[in-house]
Amino acid sequence: MSENTKVEAKRVFIGAGCNRVVNNVSWGASGLVSFGAQNAVAVFCPKTAQILTTLPGHKAAVNCTHWLPSSKFAFKAKNLDRHYLLSGDSDGIIILWELSTLHNNWRHVLQLPLSHKKGVTCITAYMVSETDAMFASASSDGVVNLWDVSFPAQSSEECKVVCLDSICVDTKAIVTLSLAELPKNPGRFALALGGLDNKIKLYCGERTGKFTSVCELKGHTDWIRSLDFSLPLHTTEETTDCIMLVSSSQDKVIRIWKLVLVGDVGSWQREITLASYIEGPVFVSGTSTYQISVESVLIGHEDWVYSVEWEPPVISSIDGRLVNHQPLSILSASMDKTMMIWRPEKNTGVWVNVVCVGELSHCALGFYGGHWCPNGLSILAHGYGGSFHLWRNVSSTKESENWQMQKVPSGHFAAVTDVTWARTGEYMLSVSHDQTTRVFSSWKNDEGNEVEDEHWHELARPQVHGHDINCVAMVQGKGNHRFVSGAEEKVVRVFEAPLSFLMTLNHTCAGGEGSFPEDLQEDVQVLGANMSALGLSQKPIYLHSSSEPLERNGGGDGLDTFETVPEAAPVELKEPPIEDQLAFHTLWPESHKLYGHGNELFSLCGDHKGNLVASSCKAQSASMAEIWLWEVGTWKAVGRLQSHSLTVTHLEFSYDDTMLLSVSRDRHFSVFSIQRTDSGEVSHKLMAKVEAHKRIIWACSWNPFGHQFATSSRDKTVKIWSIESDARIKQILALPQFGSSVTAVAWTGLDRKEKSGCVAVGMESGLIELWTIKIIETEEGTTATAALALRLEPFMCHVSAVNRLVWKPTEKCESNQSLLRLTSCGDDNCVRVFDFKF
């Protein structure tokens, strides 16, 4: 390889779950959905169900995102080539981002100059025109900031953001806000605030300055959770002088308030009578007087109502004029696992629940928010398990409605600790502190031909556990797909693929005939697995005991609605499964438990022939830091390797399986020789133990073409070592110091003849770099040269520490390879797949 070859990088897939907070999701007029995934702002396209990008910039968890314009103002965003997005985090920082729709690229515009002292809880906005908006942000210390933002007409200009006012409303948190222009009073705005004191506070003011408190609305008996102003209601003749405000609360009730212009100041006099108390409070803003009254009280949810949202305006034609018409339709999402659409009846005008979705969701544990898409034909909820749930109205007539579940992106909702590829790379498997193991793979599209852009989806959730999972390893070799995983417990668990998974694998891009041989079909008698009551062990469902037809597409149609773990109904899936199916019907049965370690598991690896698995646990002493060797098949312990005095952080077998490399918190690495006698017994011997770095060593990786390996450490270095012919180990290279702690490293071969390879380096900052390494073997000994091949741009990388990097296995790294695939996982809840062209 010449030094100046250009490496091209392509983002193939991002899997991530949604942060478990209210106000975290926003559906923009651009048609894209934004959400917080740990410290990243993630953006996905509902049409393809793919996460397009993650935006790096926040140093704390992202609590809320809000598009400018959001779906509510899509009618004002017909020809925009730039859309904007606001995101707020738990440190009180708010960042403004710009999306250029022409080139599909993002940029960080600015961080708001005045940040909140505590976490941002809510952002709301009102688009005054295509280039002007007002927005308000609330914080958990009771402060609300109001901002005016003007967007540039030309791309050469910059956004201007001015803080209009800062209101200290309360000592308690304000958790929801809504902004609206007062009817028939351009330039004057109403701001509704809700928080922990059960009252809705109304403030009024102008775009130029101070907002003052005008009244309080009482009625709810628990925390106010969500507020949303409608746009002005239109009648056939003229814009009426009223807008509506909908509010929801933890008292399970939704209230609709009507704000009406009753006259000019002076011309309208109020009589103090009993009726006036029922009609509601009156306030003055500028030269107009307004009255607020309760329009309706909606009772139907059985738990806290976390969000309410008016349907976005539809454009209708009146006498040839296009008018934005506010539909009388409200979407509510609740912790009772349902979303409802409420509308007034045609004849009586009484508000009723006309659509209810999500009732059979055993997995969601409740919804944190519900959102309309810009045209009102789709609704999106996000749930407690970091999951999305999307329904689309597929009915062709206006009279009937038929809401069907759609594909959505999915992923882990906590730090992803480890990731590995299937034996031939047809899918990847990741584990996380969200206590799940997930399988991701690319799917064939409907036409059967592979599209240019692969579409990846979650294929199965083999393990749903009661402990945080720290490590995983695929068992290599022939036979069924098996993996071992280690969690915050002392047991290593072995899982085997059920028949339903093997059949589903045929429908993925990488599947097909090769991955599912006929003889395997005969051997596998287990159809799927059931979750045990405590969520620790998964029991097999046998083929002959199941009366379920295998072809039924869809899992839990007949689930009872009690709070029990439903019976799994594993089936062959012809299309990517939705959350309900993933949570219960795609489990793998647990075949063995391996007992031996005295502390929580920390690292696992398997050899390349599929004979051995090595494991380590958290350790403060030499006896606890033993590495255990297990024989695949019998699953007996066949070795206890002693060398380290603290936790062994990473293990890897050499490609010829004659050596095992381990690195540890004690700053040493050890190399063990692993031999198999003719009788099949395993013998092991410590070849060397070297203090390699000044701080904890996080990761190690072998060269596929020889006995060289890389180690990476918190001391910000990566070192290359070689095992010489006389079994001495010497350092042959150190890469230049990196910008932060190096938490992951992975070596793959490029050209066997030239002995060249590529080392991927992942850092605590989330950044990833590729270095080309060339090994030169002479009579004097081994030397190496290295060159930086590629530094991935931050928008492609993780936003928190990279926990693991793994190259996709290739067919016998013999010839020189030009296309390489890398997967990575990190503390930002993300699993990523990249393609590199050398």
Side-chain angles (χ1 to χ4, degrees), residues 16 28 59 103 269 432 515 613 693 766 773 800:
K59 298 280 181 284
H103 311 105
Q269 220 54 46
S432 159
S515 62
V613 167
H693 291 269
I773 306 279
S800 298

Side-chain angles (χ1 to χ4, degrees), residues 652-822:
E652 198 171 290
F653 283 95
S654 63
Y655 279 75
D656 58 6
D657 288 339
T658 59
M659 297 181 205
L660 174 65
L661 169 65
S662 62
V663 294
S664 163
R665 201 174 271 279
D666 63 13
R667 306 169 187 183
H668 290 72
F669 69 72
S670 300
V671 178
F672 301 88
S673 76
I674 309 287
Q675 302 296 336
R676 256 190 131 77
T677 59
D678 296 338
S679 59
E681 285 181 14
V682 176
S683 67
H684 52 84
K685 182 170 120 267
L686 178 63
M687 287 171 63
K689 180 181 178 185
V690 177
E691 183 166 1
H693 291 269
K694 296 188 179 68
R695 306 288 298 276
I696 172 176
I697 309 177
W698 279 124
C700 59
S701 185
W702 284 94
N703 173 13
F705 300 149
H707 285 169
Q708 293 81 32
F709 57 87
T711 57
S712 73
S713 160
R714 187 180 277 162
D715 65 12
K716 304 181 183 177
T717 61
V718 172
K719 294 180 181 177
I720 310 291
W721 308 80
S722 178
I723 301 173
E724 299 297 285
S725 49
D726 57 356
R728 277 186 318 108
I729 293 182
K730 69 166 191 176
Q731 182 183 329
I732 53 172
L733 189 67
L735 297 185
Q737 192 159 2
F738 292 90
S740 70
S741 166
V742 184
T743 49
V745 66
W747 194 329
T748 187
L750 288 173
D751 191 329
R752 188 178 279 276
K753 279 199 196 81
E754 297 212 351
K755 290 196 167 56
S756 66
C758 176
V759 172
V761 175
M763 287 168 259
E764 198 171 30
S765 58
L767 300 178
I768 296 171
E769 293 184 8
L770 298 189
W771 288 74
T772 49
I773 306 279
K774 203 167 180 181
I775 303 294
I776 301 146
E777 288 174 342
T778 58
E779 286 166 13
E780 288 89 57
T782 310
T783 56
T785 60
L788 175 65
L790 182 68
R791 200 171 266 142
L792 261 70
E793 55 162 316
F795 277 86
M796 285 181 85
C797 296
H798 292 271
V799 298
S800 298
V802 180
N803 288 330
R804 186 75 75 237
L805 293 167
V806 188
W807 293 99
K808 180 179 170 178
T810 48
E811 300 303 317
K812 296 276 176 281
C813 312
E814 293 298 335
S815 59
N816 55 354
Q817 304 173 58
S818 57
L819 189 70
L820 293 173
R821 179 161 279 188
L822 176 75

Side-chain angles (χ1 to χ4, degrees), residues 254-317:
I254 298 165
R255 287 171 173 264
I256 303 174
W257 312 79
K258 197 171 187 176
L259 189 150
V260 187
L261 171 68
V262 286
D264 294 339
V265 176
S267 67
W268 186 81
Q269 220 54 46
R270 182 174 194 174
E271 296 169 23
I272 303 297
T273 60
L274 187 60
S276 67
Y277 282 100
I278 298 165
E279 285 164 1
V282 170
F283 67 89
V284 173
S285 179
T287 58
S288 309
T289 308
Y290 297 91
Q291 180 165 28
I292 298 185
S293 53
V294 176
E295 169 79 3
S296 189
V297 177
L298 314 182
I299 298 171
H301 283 295
E302 292 163 11
D303 209 333
W304 299 356
V305 186
Y306 264 137
S307 93
V308 280
E309 193 175 278
W310 288 95
E311 187 178 329
V314 290
I315 294 180
S316 52
S317 170

Side-chain angles (χ1 to χ4, degrees), residues 18-36:
C18 182
N19 287 345
R20 301 197 277 184
V21 280
V22 192
N23 304 325
N24 187 18
V25 175
S26 176
W27 201 326
S30 59
L32 303 177
V33 176
S34 61
F35 65 96

Side-chain angles (χ1 to χ4, degrees), residues 200-222:
I200 299 167
K201 300 175 175 62
L202 209 63
Y203 281 70
C204 282
E206 292 180 88
R207 262 190 83 190
T208 50
K210 294 275 175 269
F211 273 61
T212 51
S213 173
V214 290
C215 68
E216 285 183 344
L217 307 178
K218 296 173 187 165
H220 286 293
T221 57
D222 207 333

Side-chain angles (χ1 to χ4, degrees), residues 64 105 150 188 394 414 465 566 573 684 743 776:
C64 45
N105 64 337
S150 42
R188 283 192 172 270
V394 294
H465 200 44
L573 299 164
H684 52 84
T743 49
I776 301 146

